Amino acid sequence: MILCGNPFCSYEAQRAEIDAAVSRFFESHRYILGPEVSSFEQEFADYLGTKHTVGVGNGTDALCLALRACGIGRGDEVITVSHTASATAAAIVLSGATPVFVDIQPDVYTLDPSKLPAALTKKTKAILPVHLYGQPADMAPILAFARQHNLRVIEDCAQSTGGEYASQKIGSLGDIGCFSFYPTKNLGAYGDGGMAVTRDPALAESLRRLRQYGWDKSNISCEAGVNSRLDELQAAILRAKLPHLDNDNAKRIAIADRYDRELANAGPALPARQTNGQHVFHLYVVRSRQQKELLAHMKSQGVYVLAHYPVPTHLQPAYKNYAPKSGALAETERAAKEVVSLPIYPELTLAEQQQVIGAVRAFWKE
Ligand SMILES: *Cc1c(COP(=O)(O)O)cnc(C)c1O
């Protein structure tokens, strides 16, 4: 069975370095917020070309604490997309704020900047674009709109670590960039982990307080923080993996190029690429009206494929109260019925890629 993503393969590929990192962690006798976390924070900052990085427990917390660090909460509105992992809206609701969903650009699946003016109200405090599937959102018009209306921009980079927009690493464009190190992500730990990054020292300080009980320097809680720390073990592993990230992303892109070539006339619509950015193919998402049939066919061929995401956030029970008026998210609802993610990860072998390609072609030949 070929899986959509496979963290064990990256362990096998980098076993010596990861094992050494795990031993170093045990020998250090430091478990929480020690030298591995601070070194990884520095290395990740250098990698992104940004100033401050704050390791947190997971990507959802990175987003929620980013909003809180910006002073956003109850009574405030945050413009985002519904076509994303439900974690995006979860983080907004966790912060106390209200998600306002806008539609996506159907070719690239990211926030449609032309929908921003209609979503703006007196309560709008931030825009939270999602760099989905490894593809950067179209940041130039989003940043321009935010500047014009004095809004914060918080980037959801969970699926796009290493991706670029206008030759800058994503996460370094807005006020705060939020990353997830969930095992299947482009830079994956072997457990949960996340990071919030910013140029702004005051936001960084606030993030550092919030991740640990709202403590000030003398361990007095000056605000109601949470416990959301990146742990030493995951940080040690991530330090071993970070030097491989660009090469791993290049392998993902090479697989995507191959799928593009081999499936050009096979049947499904293939993923478009933002012209002003570098897609890092967390997922390779094709599109077909016969989504259900294609999913079943691929599974019958030993290729485990999924739809990301089959139910838009605004149609899920927990978030349906935030659904805009019917028809406002037409592209989102259409995409949910048509998207299919093909397997893509750096260690996917040529034979496995060929099996995926063969299975897709066979579906339209039958
Ligand atoms: C994975 C993901 C998150 C959440 O990250 P966790 O580390 O699982 O909390 C948020 N947004 C998007 C788009 C994601 O894919």
Side-chain angles (χ1 to χ4, degrees):
M1 185 65 123
I2 303 177
L3 303 173
C4 235
N6 195 334
F8 187 73
C9 291
S10 83
Y11 171 63
E12 282 186 309
Q14 298 163 26
R15 188 190 288 258
E17 288 140 287
I18 292 172
D19 286 354
V22 171
S23 307
R24 189 178 68 229
F25 156 76
F26 276 113
E27 299 298 333
S28 78
H29 302 235
R30 295 287 296 276
Y31 309 102
I32 297 289
L33 295 189
E36 299 292 343
V37 168
S38 53
S39 298
F40 178 60
E41 286 175 339
Q42 188 55 54
E43 288 154 14
F44 199 61
D46 293 343
Y47 174 79
L48 293 179
T50 194
K51 196 104 193 163
H52 309 281
T53 50
V54 182
V56 295
N58 55 68
T60 310
D61 283 353
L63 289 165
C64 175
L65 298 183
L67 291 163
R68 289 191 58 190
C70 291
I72 294 166
R74 195 177 298 276
D76 299 330
E77 292 179 357
V78 177
I79 300 174
T80 191
V81 288
S82 172
H83 185 69
T84 175
S86 59
T88 307
I92 297 171
V93 172
L94 264 171
S95 79
T98 302
V100 174
F101 297 117
V102 296
D103 215 353
I104 52 168
Q105 293 182 291
D107 53 344
V108 287
Y109 303 102
T110 51
L111 190 148
D112 183 346
S114 76
K115 308 292 183 194
L116 290 171
L120 185 75
T121 74
K122 286 199 178 65
K123 296 180 178 169
T124 309
K125 289 285 160 49
I127 309 173
L128 202 164
V130 180
H131 305 300
L132 198 71
Y133 304 153
Q135 170 108 286
D138 192 6
M139 292 301 286
I142 294 171
L143 291 166
F145 186 86
R147 222 172 291 127
Q148 196 181 344
H149 298 282
N150 198 24
L151 308 174
R152 294 290 200 172
V153 175
I154 312 247
E155 298 173 70
D156 183 339
C157 310
Q159 298 192 1
S160 301
T161 309
E164 290 180 6
Y165 180 86
S167 305
Q168 274 190 63
K169 287 273 186 260
I170 57 109
S172 65
L173 295 130
D175 293 285
I176 303 181
C178 300
F179 293 83
S180 166
F181 305 123
Y182 182 82
T184 58
K185 302 283 159 96
N186 288 34
L187 178 61
Y190 290 92
D192 279 309
M195 188 81 90
V197 315
T198 180
R199 282 182 300 284
D200 182 332
L203 289 178
E205 205 182 304
S206 177
L207 286 162
R208 282 183 202 286
R209 267 200 310 273
L210 285 167
R211 77 170 164 186
Q212 181 157 249
Y213 321 124
W215 273 356
D216 65 12
K217 293 218 160 44
S218 28
N219 296 1
I220 302 295
S221 296
C222 52
E223 61 187 315
V226 299
N227 173 2
S228 181
R229 300 171 293 220
L230 178 63
D231 65 66
E232 285 285 288
L233 175 58
Q234 300 306 333
I237 292 170
L238 288 162
R239 288 184 71 197
K241 293 187 77 178
L242 180 61
H244 296 278
L245 176 61
D246 282 342
N247 193 33
D248 281 349
N249 280 342
K251 288 182 185 165
R252 289 176 180 271
I253 294 163
I255 296 169
D257 289 345
R258 184 137 186 274
Y259 283 163
D260 277 357
R261 278 194 312 274
E262 303 277 332
L263 298 174
N265 300 304
L270 304 182
R273 304 189 195 187
Q274 182 80 256
T275 49
N276 198 15
Q278 179 60 64
H279 193 320
V280 287
F281 287 97
H282 174 61
L283 297 169
Y284 186 93
V285 176
V286 301
R287 188 161 180 153
S288 162
R289 294 242 169 93
Q290 296 162 277
Q291 182 198 53
K292 283 204 172 58
E293 295 81 357
L294 179 58
L295 287 168
H297 164 82
M298 295 299 284
K299 279 175 195 160
S300 78
Q301 302 295 299
V303 182
Y304 190 80
V305 290
L306 289 166
H308 296 92
Y309 293 86
V311 183
T313 311
H314 71 282
L315 298 180
Q316 299 185 24
Y319 304 107
K320 64 182 192 318
N321 293 347
Y322 306 106
K325 66 176 190 306
S326 154
L329 302 179
E331 295 297 350
T332 294
E333 291 175 18
R334 201 162 63 85
K337 293 197 181 83
E338 298 183 359
V339 288
V340 173
S341 309
L342 303 184
I344 193 162
Y345 54 88
E347 301 81 12
L348 195 68
T349 64
L350 274 177
E352 289 167 331
Q353 293 167 41
Q354 213 47 53
Q355 191 183 334
V356 174
I357 290 161
V360 173
R361 284 185 179 157
F363 178 72
W364 271 277
K365 275 208 208 100
E366 274 163 11

